[in-house]
Amino acid sequence: MAAERKTAAQVVPLFPTFAAVQVADEVSVGRTLVHRAAPDVAKEAGIDLSDKPKVLLAIGAGNVGKTSILRWVAERAVAANRQTFFAAIDPENRELSNYFEGVHEPASFEPNAVLSWLEKFLAFAMDNKATAAIDVGGGDTSLGRLVASTPDIVQMAEDAGVAIVALYPLAPRLSDLSAMETLEKAGFQPKATAIVLNEGRADPTVPREEAFARTMQHSAYKAAIARGAQQVWMPRLIPAKEVEDRRITYADARDATPKKGVVPLGPFDRRRVGQWLLRMEAEFGGISTWLP
């Protein structure tokens, strides 16, 4: 007799079927990517210097970001067609002229000659109600000597209708407070004073507030804030060295502006520069009228 053909219901499956596994609690997966965007909260505004000529001085130790800030300040002024006289008096490296034409510098590096030149430059700004910005330099002694001989220099400038603006960029080193403390004790206390905490000089693996905790807890820092100095964060620019090595402006780096002999940044670094420029505007928003 021929074998009976089995129906589908009679066929034994090769692999057993399993019921769905029941899990009491869902397992958490993934993580939140940290992205520090430009803050939405408005910055506390400093005094309004909108329509007043001003002399901005970037003061502090070496390698804290003075020239980087002034490069950004200069770009903004040039883009807005605001007449500003820029000067560099660093006793060693006067790098601002590598990026912009017409940067004024003392002809000599001799301390007494630099002091005399600085005095004349400030007198010019006061006499002509001119706006200016000066890269004081890490090893400069001329400003301190000028303040020692003329402790009321801030009042002199105000009487002439010119505001003095002091920017103190800091890395997370307590010694970086030295220049500010020395000048503050000598009576150099412009109403427009900003302490710029440079994230680019801090450990990127820790929160910025933690990196600068000792600085912000120091009595010199607290005293300056108590008298009215503004705290400003300078965001980290990851491709900062790439921009600096090319001797190009931040805007040119962002836009890949063609420059003879200059290889443009890659697309990711260009994007980072653009985001950094937006963050700089946000972080310095409270003191934007202090800038040329």
Side-chain angles (χ1 to χ4, degrees), residues 28-88:
S28 177
V29 297
R31 63 185 177 89
T32 301
L33 293 177
V34 177
H35 171 61
R36 182 174 291 167
D40 295 328
V41 180
K43 299 295 179 181
E44 180 183 353
I47 60 174
D48 188 359
L49 301 178
S50 299
D51 300 318
K52 194 168 186 177
K54 63 216 73 171
V55 174
L56 183 151
L57 298 109
I59 309 163
N63 201 34
V64 293
K66 295 185 302 298
T67 303
S68 296
I69 291 176
L70 286 188
R71 284 163 50 198
W72 174 68
V73 168
E75 282 191 43
R76 294 174 79 256
V78 171
N81 199 29
R82 292 190 290 267
Q83 184 179 36
T84 305
F85 296 90
F86 288 93

Side-chain angles (χ1 to χ4, degrees), residues 27-274:
V27 176
S28 177
V29 297
R31 63 185 177 89
T32 301
L33 293 177
V34 177
H35 171 61
R36 182 174 291 167
D40 295 328
V41 180
K43 299 295 179 181
E44 180 183 353
I47 60 174
D48 188 359
L49 301 178
S50 299
D51 300 318
K52 194 168 186 177
K54 63 216 73 171
V55 174
L56 183 151
L57 298 109
I59 309 163
N63 201 34
V64 293
K66 295 185 302 298
T67 303
S68 296
I69 291 176
L70 286 188
R71 284 163 50 198
W72 174 68
V73 168
E75 282 191 43
R76 294 174 79 256
V78 171
N81 199 29
R82 292 190 290 267
Q83 184 179 36
T84 305
F85 296 90
F86 288 93
I89 61 173
D90 192 294
E92 290 295 333
N93 300 314
R94 298 172 181 172
E95 297 181 358
L96 203 58
S97 59
N98 292 331
Y99 302 90
F100 304 96
E101 296 180 356
V103 176
H104 301 275
E105 301 177 1
S108 172
F109 287 84
E110 197 276 324
N112 288 324
V114 174
L115 173 59
S116 177
W117 188 92
L118 175 61
E119 184 174 320
K120 293 176 181 176
F121 185 83
L122 292 173
F124 168 84
M126 294 179 197
D127 291 342
N128 294 275
K129 304 291 190 295
T131 290
I134 306 174
D135 189 348
V136 174
D140 175 73
T141 61
S142 59
L143 179 60
R145 293 168 64 194
L146 183 58
V147 170
S149 65
T150 315
D152 62 341
I153 185 173
V154 173
Q155 189 60 52
M156 282 179 56
E158 289 184 358
D159 291 344
V162 176
I164 297 292
V165 178
L167 294 186
Y168 293 102
L170 302 179
R173 304 174 300 202
L174 291 180
S175 59
D176 289 344
L177 290 164
S178 180
M180 182 183 73
E181 177 72 344
T182 298
L183 291 171
E184 288 269 324
K185 283 185 174 180
F188 183 78
Q189 298 184 2
K191 295 176 184 176
T193 295
I195 304 174
V196 183
L197 304 178
N198 188 351
E199 295 181 51
R201 294 291 183 260
D203 184 345
T205 66
V206 300
R208 62 186 188 179
E209 290 80 7
E210 181 179 336
F212 282 92
R214 290 182 179 176
T215 295
M216 293 188 288
Q217 292 168 5
H218 195 280
S219 60
Y221 181 91
K222 289 182 176 180
I225 294 295
R227 76 154 185 85
Q230 297 284 311
Q231 174 185 294
V232 179
W233 290 100
M234 181 176 176
R236 178 187 307 278
L237 176 59
I238 294 176
K241 184 179 183 300
E242 296 302 319
V243 178
E244 183 177 332
D245 286 349
R246 286 165 170 77
R247 293 294 191 268
I248 55 177
T249 66
Y250 298 118
D252 285 346
R254 176 196 61 198
D255 301 335
T257 304
K259 299 282 183 179
K260 184 177 180 180
V262 176
V263 178
L265 297 182
F268 288 99
D269 280 343
R270 294 201 302 269
R271 183 68 171 177
R272 292 182 182 108
V273 174

